[in-house]
Amino acid sequence: MIEFKKDYYADVRIEDRFTTEIKFLNGNLAETKERGESRAFVRVFDGEMWYYAATTDLGHIQKTLDGLYEVAKANADIENDPAVKKFERNRDHLESFKDNSVRNIGLSEKTELLRSLLPITQSDPCMAMSMAKYMDRNSRYEFRSSLGADISYDYQTCGIMLYCDMVEGEKKFSAFWQQGETDFNRLKGLTSEAEEAFKEQVEFMRNSVPVEEGDYPVVLSPLAAGIFAHESFGHKSESDFMLSDESMKEEWQLGKQVGSPLLTISECGEISGVGYTPYDDEGTKARKNYLIKDGILAGRLHSTVTAAALEEEVTGNARAVDCTFEPIVRMTTTYIEAGKDSFEQLIAPIKKGYFIKTVKHGSGMSTFTIAPALSYEIIDGKLGRPVEISVISGNVFETLGLIDGLSDKIELKSFVSGGCGKMEQYPLPVGFGGPYVRVSKMKVQ
């Protein structure tokens, strides 16, 4: 039982985390690792300063909390502090993964599942160095505050990654496939999907031609659209960037037209997948947040501190990568909402352009760049040859305004490798996705 002192705001965040990692290199088992650890992050606020401490000794949480009280100053009016008034007092206990926890699945079963997919990375003479990984994570969270918040919930993700270098003459390509789920049983039966993915990448390596550089219409896959939304706009919506930047506040006035009227970008922690965050690390309940709605800047992402500073509402986006760090403003699942066209209708009017199917990486704030992996020509409204594109790029606001078509269904992506990085906190699990997105002009190199 944690005892909170009067005249301070304080909260305690606890995570019991279980992880598995299995790795094969060139068909040989290279690593099997299971790990369990528990950590707590304790903080106290006196209206002037935040005081933090992290500990792995859960039996001494009260002692750690009391140590922070000793250096803080009592404040009889603490509950009227603008930031403290933003804290929610939720009391909830969710248990979504009790019956299918990866903690209850043996290491041998996970290893054999991964082993069954190894032939895929050795199925063609062009395939050289290969790697296969299985990863999972199950976390149990608790959050309590001096205001009476009392929350617990669980989180789970698991997934498989396959990789190999392909070499044939002077042609080279790095082939990659992965699938993330929240239920281990859904990882079974993926052999055909992975085989098709690698077969396509072999054909791409052998038959792709250099791109003709220039400005062209481009259609982004849901994966590419999601990365674009996350990297190019999601980070700009994290409001802690604005606290000490008056020019950014001016640029990012709510109600401003920032994109095509077709465009709506949303963000929500309630969505199942790697970005699932029903309560953030300050005890704020997740909700759907519109960042752009019908082309208009509609909102931004907040912690209690940024919401108080900008006189806006909390959004459920104060997140830390683990209990070693304080919460900062981060995304959960960010996605572009659907339109009304089919994929065929999106590409039909394009005389010459490109379809970006998969992506190596992306980055950007005012100017964005996306490095495609698999790309194809669009000629006279039909998909054509595979093409080698190093990068597509553009100004974020200009590109948002050039979106002129969206497909009628969205796909949300869940991956267990990598994650989002911000400051020193990496990798944070996030989800992203969207429909197929047509942009009337992008720079293709």
Side-chain angles (χ1 to χ4, degrees):
M1 183 68 179
I2 298 170
E3 295 183 5
F4 294 103
K5 281 189 176 182
K6 187 181 177 183
D7 298 338
Y8 306 84
Y9 171 80
D11 59 37
V12 175
R13 190 173 88 243
I14 301 170
E15 181 188 2
D16 172 20
R17 180 182 295 198
F18 170 89
T19 59
T20 307
E21 187 168 329
I22 303 165
K23 180 165 69 175
F24 283 83
L25 290 176
N26 298 321
N28 299 311
L29 184 62
E31 181 180 54
T32 58
K33 182 168 60 177
E34 285 185 329
R35 184 179 182 186
E37 64 173 350
S38 296
R39 289 181 177 271
F41 190 87
V42 182
R43 61 183 190 167
V44 169
F45 181 55
D46 61 9
E48 295 182 6
M49 293 272 297
W50 285 95
Y51 302 86
Y52 305 105
T55 180
T56 57
D57 187 350
L58 301 191
H60 286 77
I61 290 176
Q62 187 67 54
K63 181 179 179 181
T64 303
L65 178 60
D66 290 342
L68 296 181
Y69 283 136
E70 289 179 6
V71 294
K73 300 176 182 178
N75 179 350
D77 199 38
I78 190 64
E79 291 195 18
N80 289 318
D81 180 271
V84 174
K85 288 170 73 173
K86 293 291 183 182
F87 282 101
E88 296 182 347
R89 308 182 185 207
N90 295 302
R91 301 178 68 86
D92 195 8
H93 303 282
L94 304 173
E95 203 166 17
S96 303
F97 303 102
K98 179 181 179 181
D99 296 330
N100 65 346
S101 174
V102 291
R103 297 173 189 249
N104 301 328
I105 299 169
L107 189 61
S108 60
E109 184 175 354
K110 298 171 185 177
T111 304
E112 289 310 307
L113 173 62
L114 185 59
R115 193 190 303 274
S116 71
L117 298 173
L118 295 181
I120 296 171
T121 61
Q122 303 165 340
S123 58
D124 190 279
C126 72
M127 295 178 179
M129 194 282 286
S130 67
M131 180 181 71
K133 290 184 76 173
Y134 167 88
M135 297 175 65
D136 67 30
R137 171 182 159 193
N138 179 281
S139 289
R140 297 165 181 157
Y141 289 101
E142 297 178 45
F143 178 88
R144 298 185 184 90
S145 81
S146 57
L147 299 177
D150 187 350
I151 300 162
S152 65
Y153 73 93
D154 57 355
Y155 169 93
Q156 180 164 292
T157 183
C158 54
I160 290 169
M161 294 148 281
L162 302 178
Y163 169 90
C164 75
D165 288 329
M166 297 179 177
V167 181
E168 194 168 80
E170 295 185 359
K171 288 263 191 176
K172 297 180 181 180
F173 190 76
S174 297
F176 186 80
W177 172 86
Q178 70 165 310
Q179 181 64 41
E181 298 286 355
T182 57
D183 187 334
F184 178 81
N185 289 320
R186 293 199 203 112
L187 294 176
K188 300 174 182 178
L190 293 174
T191 302
S192 295
E193 180 182 328
E195 286 175 341
E196 287 301 314
F198 272 82
K199 181 179 178 181
E200 180 180 10
Q201 291 175 91
V202 169
E203 293 299 315
F204 182 90
M205 182 200 69
R206 288 178 172 148
N207 301 313
S208 58
V209 297
V211 71
E212 296 179 24
E213 296 189 8
D215 294 333
Y216 297 98
V218 170
V219 175
L220 304 175
S221 70
L223 170 64
I227 291 174
F228 171 74
H230 174 97
E231 295 289 353
S232 300
F233 193 81
H235 279 301
K236 291 174 78 73
S237 299
E238 293 170 339
S239 57
D240 47 357
F241 288 124
M242 302 176 194
L243 294 188
S244 57
D245 190 336
E246 292 299 324
S247 64
M248 200 164 182
K249 289 181 189 177
E250 182 69 23
E251 181 184 11
W252 285 80
Q253 290 186 10
L254 298 181
K256 178 182 178 181
Q257 184 86 32
V258 293
S260 162
L262 298 176
L263 179 65
T264 294
I265 299 180
S266 302
E267 207 278 348
C268 184
E270 294 179 304
I271 297 171
S272 177
V274 296
Y276 175 65
T277 312
Y279 290 90
D280 73 6
D281 289 329
E282 294 185 324
T284 303
K285 185 173 176 56
R287 63 213 63 190
K288 183 174 182 178
N289 304 299
Y290 286 102
L291 306 182
I292 297 176
K293 189 168 177 61
D294 302 326
I296 304 297
L297 187 63
R300 41 187 156 242
L301 308 179
H302 282 296
S303 65
T304 53
V305 170
T306 63
L310 297 177
E311 298 182 341
E312 295 174 9
E313 296 305 312
V314 290
T315 59
N317 291 92
R319 303 184 65 196
V321 71
D322 60 34
C323 283
T324 309
F325 296 96
E326 74 274 17
I328 56 177
V329 184
R330 307 296 297 270
M331 285 172 272
T332 56
T333 296
T334 311
Y335 60 98
I336 298 173
E337 298 209 347
K340 62 180 182 179
D341 295 325
S342 66
F343 176 73
E344 289 73 21
Q345 288 172 318
L346 288 180
I347 67 173
I350 297 176
K351 295 298 182 183
K352 181 174 177 59
Y354 295 98
F355 168 52
I356 310 302
K357 185 173 183 179
T358 63
V359 172
K360 298 173 187 174
H361 56 81
S363 64
M365 287 287 276
S366 296
T367 300
F368 73 90
T369 58
I370 293 176
L374 297 180
S375 304
Y376 295 88
E377 283 182 328
I378 303 172
I379 301 294
D380 294 328
K382 304 290 184 183
L383 289 184
R385 298 175 298 178
V387 290
E388 301 162 8
I389 297 176
S390 297
V391 67
I392 58 173
S393 61
N395 175 275
V396 171
F397 284 128
E398 287 180 7
T399 303
L400 293 175
L402 293 173
I403 291 173
D404 63 359
L406 303 167
S407 69
D408 55 3
K409 294 179 182 177
I410 69 170
E411 298 176 19
L412 298 179
K413 303 299 181 180
S414 287
F415 299 133
V416 292
S417 67
C420 180
K422 181 175 176 179
M423 301 178 184
E424 72 275 26
Q425 296 198 40
Y426 173 86
L428 185 77
V430 294
F432 51 82
Y436 291 92
V437 175
R438 186 178 66 209
V439 183
S440 62
K441 185 176 71 173
M442 296 181 82
K443 188 173 184 62
V444 180
Q445 299 171 276

